[in-house]
Amino acid sequence: MGAGIRAVRAPQGAPGSSGSVLLVDDEPLLLRALQRILRGDGHRIALAESAEQAEEALADPDLDVVVLDLLLGRQSGLEFLARLKRERPELEVIVITGHASIESAVGCIRSGAFDYLEKPFDDVHRVRSTVRQAIERRRLVARNRELEAELRERGAPASLIGGSAVMRRLARTIHGLRHNESHVLLRGESGTGKELVARAIHAASPRAHGPFAPVDCGALPESIIESELFGHEKGAFTGATGATGLFRMAHGGTLFLDEIGEIPPNVQAKLLRALQEKEVRPVGGSSAVPVDIRVICATHRDLDRMVAEGRFRQDLFYRLDVVRIEIPPLRERRDDIPLLVHHFLRKYRGAHSPVEGIEDEALQALVESEWPGNVRELENAIESAMALASGPRVRAADLPGSRRGVPRSAAQVPRDVPLSLASYERLALERALAETGGDAPEAARRLGLGRSTLYRKLAKHGLQARRN
């Protein structure tokens, strides 16, 4: 580093929350104070006492956030901010000032600042959380741009979408089964993509060139499930014309039994025999037919509990539960949401669709939403938004009403919100904008304010509504 710049690696903080931060201020004591505040979060920190000294650090392509004093010696911090956003628009800039005013705050936000902080830093939690949020936004926006480029190239997506730690573990497990043909039990909530995982296991196995036969056991009436699984002979019952059955259809490949916990007890016994003897007897048939299959089962039920309560055969459970794989819910893999969103944008973009991507605010809303229906619910939300979108990018306003940016913590007040009416007012404004996709008239209506009053309060807090 050149003279005047000092780089400091702080101790590691929360995983995924740290980044590269440049602090620019002409007061050495304040720089050291900021360094102490941010040290515990694991950031790579560079210090500069002037715009000139900051040049070397600004050349770092991995730089995430600049914390910039508004009064920077002889140079205007606003001018430096404007140059930063012109030359490195991807950087998030947090302005600090000891002379905060509505005019300066609005000017900073309009010039592209992520947020501004008042000196002295009485609320160190706000300083830390603002830097963390700026890093998260920087990475989300960068990932959005990267994925939009991939979307334009229209590359073929992999069957399993995700790069989070839990999905990497899942991919390693599937890879580890590539030479194995043991039966597999998939556990996971509804909508987590259990059939996709089953198909991935099949595709990686020695049976990849054989058939993959899926069936939702919960969707089959009890009166016909045996016939669907094992087949039936012509005349076996009224109207029977003869059917092969899924076991024989999957011969040489994989049979996927979704919602295995829904199979009635009398069919459980016949299923166990078919797995043990590797043969099936069609309904109405007099002889058994050999089958060579691998069975992958899935359920959202607690089969261990069902066995303990006598509702599922223990011997069948042990036969199926040779390899158990837990499929993570979407709330445990939020890092994968941008990947999934762009996958679904590609999937539902027709030849005449105007949609080419998604706005950063809309993507942020999706990342911060709860998804009780998991990936299936997210896919539905994207399909719906694309049907409503009229421009080249999906906006927050295009999302289903419950997904227009309600943060995960919207129902709760974050712990780091200072105990002041101004802080709670800002929080209410942010929530109203998030829930309405930035629609000012609708936000004013929900808050019970006149439109001019809303704009005055937004300016006070450095917030902006969407420009229609």
Side-chain angles (χ1 to χ4, degrees), residues 103-392:
E103 291 77 15
S104 64
V106 171
C108 292
I109 299 300
R110 285 179 176 170
S111 297
F114 175 79
D115 205 343
Y116 75 99
L117 299 169
E118 280 189 75
K119 295 188 288 186
F121 305 121
D122 297 325
D123 182 6
V124 298
H125 296 294
R126 179 160 187 243
V127 176
R128 295 175 63 188
S129 66
T130 301
V131 171
R132 284 197 302 269
Q133 290 163 10
I135 290 171
E136 289 170 1
R137 177 170 174 80
R138 153 89 158 106
R139 291 177 179 169
L140 179 68
V141 170
R143 189 63 177 136
N144 193 18
R145 297 292 176 268
E146 179 185 330
L147 291 170
E148 283 184 354
E150 292 178 11
L151 181 61
R152 286 192 293 271
E153 294 173 6
R154 299 183 66 86
S159 59
L160 289 180
I161 309 294
S164 60
V166 290
M167 289 302 288
R168 290 198 301 271
R169 285 197 298 271
L170 177 59
R172 286 195 298 269
T173 300
I174 293 172
H175 181 71
L177 292 173
R178 67 192 184 281
H179 301 307
N180 186 288
E181 295 192 45
S182 299
H183 300 321
V184 178
L185 175 63
L186 304 178
R187 284 281 308 277
E189 298 175 7
S190 295
T192 49
K194 294 187 284 293
E195 183 173 337
L196 277 178
V197 174
R199 289 184 181 274
I201 294 171
H202 169 74
S205 75
R207 296 178 175 270
H209 297 293
F212 178 87
V215 59
D216 183 351
C217 300
L220 295 176
E222 185 174 342
S223 58
I224 67 167
I225 189 169
E226 182 180 351
S227 172
E228 288 291 315
L229 291 176
F230 309 128
H232 63 262
E233 300 291 345
K234 184 177 180 180
F237 48 84
T238 303
T241 58
T244 303
L246 288 162
F247 263 76
R248 283 188 284 174
M249 287 174 61
H251 182 72
T254 301
L255 175 63
F256 175 56
L257 300 175
D258 197 9
E259 298 304 343
I260 187 69
E262 307 300 327
I263 289 185
N266 64 309
V267 180
Q268 290 179 25
K270 295 176 181 178
L271 177 57
L272 174 64
R273 178 176 175 79
L275 296 177
Q276 287 177 332
E277 304 300 328
K278 297 184 179 179
E279 61 181 25
V280 295
R281 188 184 300 275
V283 176
S286 57
S287 59
V289 179
V291 289
D292 172 27
I293 63 168
R294 178 197 208 165
V295 172
I296 300 177
C297 298
T299 182
H300 72 283
R301 293 184 175 275
D302 186 345
L303 287 189
D304 300 87
R305 183 174 180 180
M306 292 180 68
V307 168
E309 294 173 350
R311 293 186 291 126
F312 197 87
R313 291 183 63 110
Q314 186 179 58
D315 44 7
L316 176 60
F317 174 67
Y318 289 142
R319 177 68 61 176
L320 297 172
D321 190 27
V322 179
V323 177
R324 182 183 297 198
I325 298 177
E326 300 286 340
I327 313 298
L330 192 53
R331 62 180 174 275
E332 293 180 7
R333 44 178 296 219
R334 291 186 183 276
D335 291 350
D336 293 332
I337 290 178
L339 279 168
L340 290 163
V341 167
H342 284 82
H343 167 64
F344 295 135
L345 286 173
R346 179 168 46 235
K347 178 178 178 179
Y348 290 107
R349 187 172 69 177
H352 305 292
S353 173
V355 177
E356 298 175 358
I358 182 169
E359 290 186 353
D360 299 327
E361 290 74 14
L363 185 60
Q364 184 75 46
L366 294 172
V367 170
E368 293 185 348
S369 290
E370 292 291 353
W371 297 103
N374 293 294
V375 179
R376 185 183 298 130
E377 184 182 4
L378 175 62
E379 179 175 4
N380 178 267
I382 296 303
E383 184 180 8
S384 172
M386 291 187 71
L388 296 172
S390 56

Side-chain angles (χ1 to χ4, degrees), residues 391-420:
R393 293 158 74 86
V394 171
R395 304 174 305 160
D398 298 324
L399 300 174
S402 61
R403 301 296 171 201
R404 291 179 184 169
V406 183
R408 282 171 279 164
S409 58
Q412 303 174 345
V413 177
R415 293 182 180 180
D416 57 0
V417 173
L419 187 60
S420 70

